[in-house]
Amino acid sequence: MKGIDSGIFARELMSNYLTALRSLKPKGDVNLKKILLKAHSKTVALGSSTACVVTLKRDRLCYANVGDSGFMVFRGKRLVYRSPTQHNFFNYPFSLGNWGDIVVAGTDGLFDNLFGSEIEEILQEHGGRSCPQDLAWTIATVASMNSTNEDYDSSFAVAAESEGIEHIGGKVDDITVIIAVIELDQC
């Protein structure tokens, strides 16, 4: 997002991670995922970050990984393991962040005429600058336009085809959209 330095978020996240790790008693097995989640809950900077933490537990390599950060293991100079990438779609990795969540609820008229990826695009185009009512109106308008478009390959048409039923275009139906923005408590 413009104007947000995610590097500040990432540095605070890792600082909180080290603080949480140092506070563990007794020094023994550590749950990397729990520590990462605790560090994330203490991070107040705006932004987001992928993360990868790795440790040795006796003879095992253990890790917690979010997004497209990661690690590789080489044995005899040959790659034997690469941590899996976690992403929504190409170049959009999962990340830890302090953005809050947006909940999009709607009738079947919405979901029959817009794919989740299309709703994502609308949200990304608005970059969090719109109020929930404006977002709901925009999403409902696009779904309504798709519902009467005979050239649109709707989610309803795709579902019908998977059932052996031919349907072309969108599906005319009532369309209701409700948007809720869940803000993070910065206390």
Side-chain angles (χ1 to χ4, degrees):
M1 179 176 272
K2 290 182 181 177
I4 303 287
D5 181 352
S6 286
I8 295 170
F9 177 90
R11 288 186 291 278
E12 184 180 345
L13 175 68
M14 286 298 103
S15 176
N16 289 338
Y17 187 88
L18 288 173
T19 300
L21 187 62
R22 289 180 182 134
S23 71
L24 290 178
K25 294 181 178 61
K27 307 287 185 206
D29 283 350
V30 295
N31 183 322
L32 300 177
K33 183 178 176 183
K34 266 189 185 175
I35 297 171
L36 190 57
L37 290 172
K38 181 177 182 180
H40 176 245
S41 73
K42 301 281 185 193
T43 303
V44 296
L46 290 179
S48 65
S49 175
T50 62
C52 182
V53 289
V54 181
T55 190
L56 283 172
K57 288 186 181 178
R58 291 173 284 290
D59 62 346
R60 291 182 9 179
L61 184 68
C62 300
Y63 68 95
N65 188 44
V66 177
D68 57 0
S69 293
F71 66 94
M72 295 178 184
V73 176
F74 295 84
R75 185 172 298 136
K77 300 181 183 173
R78 291 196 164 290
L79 178 65
V80 295
Y81 182 79
R82 179 181 183 148
S83 58
T85 300
Q86 301 167 333
H87 60 274
N88 297 299
F89 48 91
F90 177 73
N91 206 30
Y92 286 88
F94 291 151
S95 60
L96 299 170
N98 281 343
W99 303 111
D101 290 327
I102 297 173
V103 178
V104 178
T107 58
D108 61 325
L110 167 63
F111 299 111
D112 285 341
N113 291 294
L114 274 178
F115 291 94
S117 60
E118 293 172 309
I119 295 171
E120 275 184 4
E121 286 177 26
I122 293 168
L123 295 175
Q124 289 166 2
E125 286 171 8
H126 286 266
R129 295 182 304 275
S130 296
C131 72
Q133 183 177 349
D134 291 343
L135 279 173
W137 184 257
T138 300
I139 291 168
T141 300
V142 174
S144 179
M145 290 186 317
N146 287 347
S147 73
T148 59
N149 183 346
E150 293 180 5
D151 295 324
Y152 175 66
D153 195 18
S154 69
S155 51
F156 182 81
V158 171
E161 183 180 336
S162 72
E163 295 294 321
I165 300 167
E166 186 176 335
H167 181 87
I168 298 170
K171 179 181 181 237
V172 176
D173 202 346
D174 63 297
I175 298 171
T176 301
V177 180
I178 299 171
I179 301 286
V181 178
I182 301 171
E183 299 289 335
L184 294 173
D185 185 1
Q186 296 293 326
C187 297

